[in-house]
Amino acid sequence: MTTTLPNVAATATPDDDGPGRRRRAYSRNRVGPLTYVAMTLISLIFVLPLLWMLLTTFKTETDARSIPIHILPGQWTLRAYHLIFADAANPVYLWLANSLMVSVLHMLLVVAVASMAAYALSRMQFVGRNLLFGVLIATLFVPGFIFFMPNYLTMSTLGWLDSIWALVVPGAANAFGVFFLRQFFLAIPRELEESALIDGANSWTIFTRIVLPLSKPALVTLAVLSFLGAWNDFVWPVFVLFSPEKMTLAPGLATLQGAYTTDYPVVMAGATLAAVPVLILYVVVQRYVIEGVANSGLKG
C-alpha cells in the first residue's frame, strides 16, 4: 500500500514564500513621505508660537503693533528685557526665584510622599488596601477647585498664608502620582525583593536600594509633571499670596498687562522667562520621561 504525500511546493501560495513575507514586512515598516510631511507640520504647530514669542521680545512697542505684521523685528532691541528687570513695582527676578524654589520643593515632596504610598499599596499586605486604593482613585474624578476652601482654611490655621509653604504643601499627597508609581512598582519582579529578604534586608532597605533605583524613569516623569504643575499654577497663588515680592511667576506676569494698553514685547519677555526653564528641564530628562510613560500605567 502506498501513501501519497501532498506536494507542498505545488500547494504553497506565492504569499507564503520568504521574499513575499519580507516584502510585506518592509511595506508595513516603511515610513512614507506623507509621514514626514505630517511630522513636520505638527512640529511647526508647536515651534512657531515659541519662535514668534521670542522674536516679539526683540521688537519695539510700535513694531509689535504694526499692521501688516512683520515676523522679524524692524529694529532689534533689548528694551523689553531692560524694562522687565528694572521695574521695582514688578520684581520679575523675585517671581522667577520664587517659582523655582516652590516648584523644586513641591516636586521633591510629591515624589517622596507618592513613592512611599505607592510602595505600600503595591507590595505591603494590610486590611483595606484595595478599598483605600479605590478611594484614592476616586479622588481623581473630583474637580480640583472643590479643595480650594479646605486647603485655604488649613493654610490659615497653620499660619502659612502669604508664604511659600502655602504653595508647596497642598497637593503633596498627589493621587495621580501614587497611582502612576504603583503601576510601575507592580511591574518590578518580586524575585528581586525576595532575594533581598533572604539576605536580611528590611522593607526600607528594599524600597531605597532596589525599588527606587529601578524606578528612575517613573520617578523622573512624576518629578517633571509635579514641577510643571507648580510652575504653571496660577489660581492658587492668587488666593494665598498677598505680597508682590512673594508672588510666583505665573500670576505675577498677569500684572504686566495694563488696564488700557499692553506692552507686548514686555509681556512676551516675561513669557519667555517662564518657558525657558521648562524647555531646558524637558530636554535634559526627555529620555526618562518617554521611558517612564511607556512602562507605567499599562501593567498591573
Side-chain angles (χ1 to χ4, degrees), residues 115-138:
S115 61
M116 290 187 286
Y119 180 73
L121 290 172
S122 63
R123 287 295 191 260
M124 297 182 178
Q125 301 293 333
F126 55 88
V127 177
R129 186 186 70 166
N130 294 333
L131 176 62
L132 179 61
F133 181 68
V135 172
L136 185 71
I137 294 300

Side-chain angles (χ1 to χ4, degrees), residues 66-299:
S66 64
I67 301 294
I69 298 174
H70 301 286
I71 298 178
L72 295 177
Q75 178 183 354
W76 294 79
T77 176
L78 295 176
R79 165 188 164 275
Y81 292 99
H82 289 306
L83 289 178
I84 204 171
F85 286 108
D87 190 357
N90 299 301
V92 177
Y93 58 93
L94 284 180
W95 299 342
L96 181 62
N98 292 339
S99 290
L100 286 173
M101 184 183 303
V102 168
S103 300
V104 170
L105 291 177
H106 180 76
M107 174 189 70
L108 295 176
L109 190 58
V110 167
V111 171
V113 173
S115 61
M116 290 187 286
Y119 180 73
L121 290 172
S122 63
R123 287 295 191 260
M124 297 182 178
Q125 301 293 333
F126 55 88
V127 177
R129 186 186 70 166
N130 294 333
L131 176 62
L132 179 61
F133 181 68
V135 172
L136 185 71
I137 294 300
T139 61
L140 293 174
F141 298 94
V142 180
F145 67 86
I146 290 179
F147 300 106
F148 273 28
M149 186 55 67
N151 285 335
Y152 182 88
L153 294 176
T154 302
M155 296 300 102
S156 178
T157 302
L158 294 173
W160 287 354
L161 292 178
D162 201 26
S163 70
I164 64 170
W165 301 115
L167 305 179
V168 172
V169 176
N174 190 301
F176 171 78
V178 175
F179 168 75
F180 183 76
L181 292 182
R182 175 185 177 273
Q183 299 305 107
F184 197 95
F185 292 168
L186 289 174
I188 297 177
R190 289 182 177 269
E191 290 77 7
L192 298 175
E193 301 174 44
E194 293 171 356
S195 300
L197 286 173
I198 295 175
D199 292 337
N202 55 27
S203 298
W204 180 254
T205 303
I206 293 174
F207 173 65
T208 56
R209 299 289 183 87
I210 297 177
V211 175
L212 291 184
L214 291 175
S215 306
K216 183 182 295 185
L219 294 174
V220 173
T221 302
L222 179 59
V224 171
L225 294 176
S226 302
F227 183 93
L228 292 178
W231 182 267
N232 295 323
D233 195 7
F234 177 83
V235 179
W236 179 245
V238 172
F239 271 86
V240 297
L241 298 178
F242 315 119
S243 304
E245 65 275 6
K246 294 183 180 179
M247 195 69 68
T248 53
L249 194 58
L253 291 178
T255 63
L256 297 178
Q257 300 186 30
Y260 303 101
T261 182
T262 300
D263 192 335
Y264 290 106
V266 173
V267 174
M268 292 301 178
T272 302
L273 291 177
V276 167
V278 174
L279 294 176
I280 294 175
L281 176 65
Y282 182 74
V283 169
V284 172
V285 302
Q286 62 174 330
R287 178 171 64 90
Y288 296 103
V289 172
I290 295 172
E291 185 178 351
V293 172
N295 294 332
S296 298
L298 302 177
K299 302 178 182 179

